[in-house]
Amino acid sequence: MKNLKLKRTLEIGVLIGIVFGHELSAGSYGDIYGAHPAAAGMGSAVTAIVNNSSAVFYNPAGLGRLSEGDLILAAIEKEARSKEQESPENKDATSSAQIPDPATADPSTQPIVATGPWYKRLWTDTKEGFTKEVFKYKPLNRPERSVHEVTFQYHYANPTSHTTAPRSQSIDKIHDSFAGLGLTLNLNDMFDINRGIRFGINALVPGSGNLLTINDQNPTVPRYLQQGVSNERPTVMGGLGLEIWKDRIFAGIGFTALAGGSGSILMKDVPISPDPVSPNSQVILTVKPLVNPTYGLQFTYGKFSLGASYKRETLMQVDPVPARAQATVLGIQLDFDLAILDGFNPRIFSYGIAFRPNDRLVLSFDANREIWSQFKVSRIKEKYSEAFYLHDTTNFRIGAEYALFKFLKTRFGFATRPTPLPSMPGTNNWMDSDRNIFSLGFSYIFSPTTFRFMNRLRKPIVFDLVVENHQLKAVEVNKYNPTERNPNYSYGGYIWSVGVSMTVFF
């Protein structure tokens, strides 16, 4: 009996079961390209300093910090108060007796003001930033009004990969573009605890228009591990951050929204025939909500900030999907037991340190430990495919931010991302490269004080831009027993990506 049609119908049924019975995982867009253009501009080295909606991805403790909108609005309010004090009416009311005589003032108590050309002043200010008041506590200015934020972002990436491997659909069309929406809410609007407390949510979805793609592909077929269809899954994360010790200690807890389930596919009334047949089928599935946790801490002392976060591994799976086909003649019954497992994201331990010598400059460093060794193939692949095991990796990231003007910031970043793939000399052909990531970012702030025509703008708007270049290390794959279907091959390439976002504070 030719069962081609039966096989095709079974595959379609399994895919239907996947759509309704999978776990929505934390996608890898944020891990590869960054979860926010502002963070990506610093090489995603933001574990110790993140304070926007992407904190639910990097470190939920950052939600307890003053946000960028809080800091900008507080500076605007402080400037407005200064102008009121400097008005002619206030100047006339100031007694001349309250003004100290410069001749009698103690020079040791007077601040040192750098003089000379701008580059000498800049050097003096920078040098003092690294040497003076490094561990001195300075309370941050806080706005009089609560600030919430919403962020819209889009990231375009079209990898340019070169390979001599046999072509397949998974490596012919590679697109990694994605869109995102972030939101944070200051809960002090509901109950003022005189501490920072915010709820945040961040969602990243594929830019291809596909809500979700699960590809439990045969590992012998060439496929990129962290590009293209392997990224087509949404990231939906949320969290709550709390300021425990004012301006110093912050803690957060987050979650990844998941839906897990199990089901079965029943096929019956299959007549024996020399021609392909279409059996009747019925899909029975049960779906339940699941939550995967994320935890984070941040600590600030003087000009130093420390951060640590933990994110549990996530994956997509349907387990189990028993399928049964029964023939009406001779009572033939075929049983299948499939387990689909794909879209694995590793367990991640992140550690970061940052140093802010002055109001203009920020330097940061991150180390991320990714536990890939917990990866498993689906049960059917485990039986009939060659075994392989992924390696745990450590990523290093460095970043810098410098405010050229009060309305314009520039960012630089560099990151290393080693591949978890072992060598592939056997029949498996998954493809991934060690990569070096270079990033350049800008942030432009529209506020009531930026331009005169914007005096009606009550709260600031921030536009962020990042340009990234990923250099993929060339890899040579030499097989134990090369054949026409499984030959030796090489691959490599690079990725240019651009991300933009608009953050509105309200």
mmCIF file of all heavy atoms in Angstrom, residues 200-217:
data_model
loop_
_atom_site.group_PDB
_atom_site.id
_atom_site.type_symbol
_atom_site.label_atom_id
_atom_site.label_comp_id
_atom_site.label_asym_id
_atom_site.label_seq_id
_atom_site.Cartn_x
_atom_site.Cartn_y
_atom_site.Cartn_z
ATOM 1 N N GLY A 200 6.653 46.271 33.734
ATOM 2 C CA GLY A 200 7.032 46.420 32.336
ATOM 3 C C GLY A 200 6.712 45.187 31.527
ATOM 4 O O GLY A 200 6.619 44.073 32.060
ATOM 5 N N ILE A 201 6.538 45.382 30.237
ATOM 6 C CA ILE A 201 6.300 44.271 29.316
ATOM 7 C C ILE A 201 6.986 44.600 28.005
ATOM 8 O O ILE A 201 7.085 45.771 27.613
ATOM 9 C CB ILE A 201 4.792 44.014 29.115
ATOM 10 C CG1 ILE A 201 4.568 42.681 28.396
ATOM 11 C CG2 ILE A 201 4.116 45.174 28.392
ATOM 12 C CD1 ILE A 201 3.130 42.206 28.434
ATOM 13 N N ASN A 202 7.520 43.576 27.350
ATOM 14 C CA ASN A 202 8.233 43.763 26.100
ATOM 15 C C ASN A 202 7.899 42.593 25.183
ATOM 16 O O ASN A 202 8.000 41.431 25.602
ATOM 17 C CB ASN A 202 9.744 43.841 26.356
ATOM 18 C CG ASN A 202 10.528 44.214 25.103
ATOM 19 O OD1 ASN A 202 10.613 43.439 24.163
ATOM 20 N ND2 ASN A 202 11.095 45.396 25.105
ATOM 21 N N ALA A 203 7.493 42.892 23.952
ATOM 22 C CA ALA A 203 7.141 41.845 22.997
ATOM 23 C C ALA A 203 7.912 42.077 21.709
ATOM 24 O O ALA A 203 7.909 43.188 21.160
ATOM 25 C CB ALA A 203 5.637 41.850 22.720
ATOM 26 N N LEU A 204 8.574 41.041 21.219
ATOM 27 C CA LEU A 204 9.278 41.063 19.946
ATOM 28 C C LEU A 204 8.666 39.995 19.053
ATOM 29 O O LEU A 204 8.539 38.837 19.459
ATOM 30 C CB LEU A 204 10.771 40.794 20.130
ATOM 31 C CG LEU A 204 11.538 41.716 21.072
ATOM 32 C CD1 LEU A 204 12.994 41.265 21.176
ATOM 33 C CD2 LEU A 204 11.475 43.157 20.602
ATOM 34 N N VAL A 205 8.287 40.371 17.838
ATOM 35 C CA VAL A 205 7.635 39.428 16.930
ATOM 36 C C VAL A 205 8.346 39.466 15.581
ATOM 37 O O VAL A 205 8.913 40.491 15.190
ATOM 38 C CB VAL A 205 6.141 39.758 16.754
ATOM 39 C CG1 VAL A 205 5.399 39.601 18.064
ATOM 40 C CG2 VAL A 205 5.954 41.169 16.215
ATOM 41 N N PRO A 206 8.332 38.360 14.832
ATOM 42 C CA PRO A 206 9.025 38.324 13.540
ATOM 43 C C PRO A 206 8.492 39.368 12.569
ATOM 44 O O PRO A 206 7.287 39.599 12.475
ATOM 45 C CB PRO A 206 8.742 36.905 13.037
ATOM 46 C CG PRO A 206 8.441 36.113 14.258
ATOM 47 C CD PRO A 206 7.754 37.056 15.198
ATOM 48 N N GLY A 207 9.404 40.000 11.834
ATOM 49 C CA GLY A 207 9.013 40.988 10.835
ATOM 50 C C GLY A 207 8.511 40.376 9.551
ATOM 51 O O GLY A 207 8.018 41.080 8.665
ATOM 52 N N SER A 208 8.629 39.050 9.409
ATOM 53 C CA SER A 208 8.176 38.372 8.194
ATOM 54 C C SER A 208 6.664 38.299 8.098
ATOM 55 O O SER A 208 6.123 37.968 7.052
ATOM 56 C CB SER A 208 8.755 36.955 8.154
ATOM 57 O OG SER A 208 8.288 36.207 9.257
ATOM 58 N N GLY A 209 5.974 38.588 9.192
ATOM 59 C CA GLY A 209 4.521 38.438 9.214
ATOM 60 C C GLY A 209 4.080 37.109 9.791
ATOM 61 O O GLY A 209 2.892 36.918 10.071
ATOM 62 N N ASN A 210 5.009 36.186 9.966
ATOM 63 C CA ASN A 210 4.677 34.902 10.589
ATOM 64 C C ASN A 210 4.650 35.069 12.096
ATOM 65 O O ASN A 210 5.626 35.535 12.684
ATOM 66 C CB ASN A 210 5.713 33.838 10.211
ATOM 67 C CG ASN A 210 5.773 33.592 8.721
ATOM 68 O OD1 ASN A 210 4.777 33.731 8.033
ATOM 69 N ND2 ASN A 210 6.946 33.219 8.223
ATOM 70 N N LEU A 211 3.562 34.710 12.703
ATOM 71 C CA LEU A 211 3.490 34.791 14.154
ATOM 72 C C LEU A 211 4.430 33.792 14.803
ATOM 73 O O LEU A 211 5.068 34.074 15.807
ATOM 74 C CB LEU A 211 2.059 34.552 14.637
ATOM 75 C CG LEU A 211 1.859 34.591 16.158
ATOM 76 C CD1 LEU A 211 2.229 35.965 16.700
ATOM 77 C CD2 LEU A 211 0.436 34.234 16.535
ATOM 78 N N LEU A 212 4.539 32.622 14.197
ATOM 79 C CA LEU A 212 5.360 31.574 14.788
ATOM 80 C C LEU A 212 5.692 30.546 13.723
ATOM 81 O O LEU A 212 4.847 30.171 12.914
ATOM 82 C CB LEU A 212 4.610 30.898 15.937
ATOM 83 C CG LEU A 212 5.321 29.741 16.634
ATOM 84 C CD1 LEU A 212 6.540 30.260 17.378
ATOM 85 C CD2 LEU A 212 4.385 29.037 17.595
ATOM 86 N N THR A 213 6.935 30.109 13.685
ATOM 87 C CA THR A 213 7.359 29.028 12.795
ATOM 88 C C THR A 213 8.103 27.985 13.621
ATOM 89 O O THR A 213 9.076 28.303 14.290
ATOM 90 C CB THR A 213 8.283 29.535 11.676
ATOM 91 O OG1 THR A 213 7.578 30.486 10.889
ATOM 92 C CG2 THR A 213 8.732 28.379 10.787
ATOM 93 N N ILE A 214 7.614 26.757 13.574
ATOM 94 C CA ILE A 214 8.305 25.649 14.226
ATOM 95 C C ILE A 214 8.841 24.747 13.130
ATOM 96 O O ILE A 214 8.101 24.315 12.254
ATOM 97 C CB ILE A 214 7.365 24.864 15.157
ATOM 98 C CG1 ILE A 214 6.935 25.748 16.325
ATOM 99 C CG2 ILE A 214 8.027 23.603 15.655
ATOM 100 C CD1 ILE A 214 6.046 25.054 17.318
ATOM 101 N N ASN A 215 10.129 24.483 13.169
ATOM 102 C CA ASN A 215 10.781 23.696 12.133
ATOM 103 C C ASN A 215 11.550 22.566 12.795
ATOM 104 O O ASN A 215 12.722 22.705 13.116
ATOM 105 C CB ASN A 215 11.709 24.606 11.316
ATOM 106 C CG ASN A 215 12.303 23.891 10.117
ATOM 107 O OD1 ASN A 215 12.088 22.702 9.940
ATOM 108 N ND2 ASN A 215 13.053 24.611 9.315
ATOM 109 N N ASP A 216 10.871 21.469 13.028
ATOM 110 C CA ASP A 216 11.540 20.313 13.612
ATOM 111 C C ASP A 216 12.192 19.518 12.481
ATOM 112 O O ASP A 216 11.825 18.390 12.177
ATOM 113 C CB ASP A 216 10.537 19.448 14.370
ATOM 114 C CG ASP A 216 11.227 18.396 15.226
ATOM 115 O OD1 ASP A 216 12.152 18.762 15.959
ATOM 116 O OD2 ASP A 216 10.840 17.218 15.135
ATOM 117 N N GLN A 217 13.173 20.152 11.865
ATOM 118 C CA GLN A 217 13.778 19.650 10.640
ATOM 119 C C GLN A 217 14.780 18.553 10.931
ATOM 120 O O GLN A 217 15.397 18.513 11.989
ATOM 121 C CB GLN A 217 14.466 20.816 9.930
ATOM 122 C CG GLN A 217 15.113 20.450 8.605
ATOM 123 C CD GLN A 217 15.660 21.690 7.946
ATOM 124 O OE1 GLN A 217 14.924 22.609 7.664
ATOM 125 N NE2 GLN A 217 16.955 21.718 7.721
#
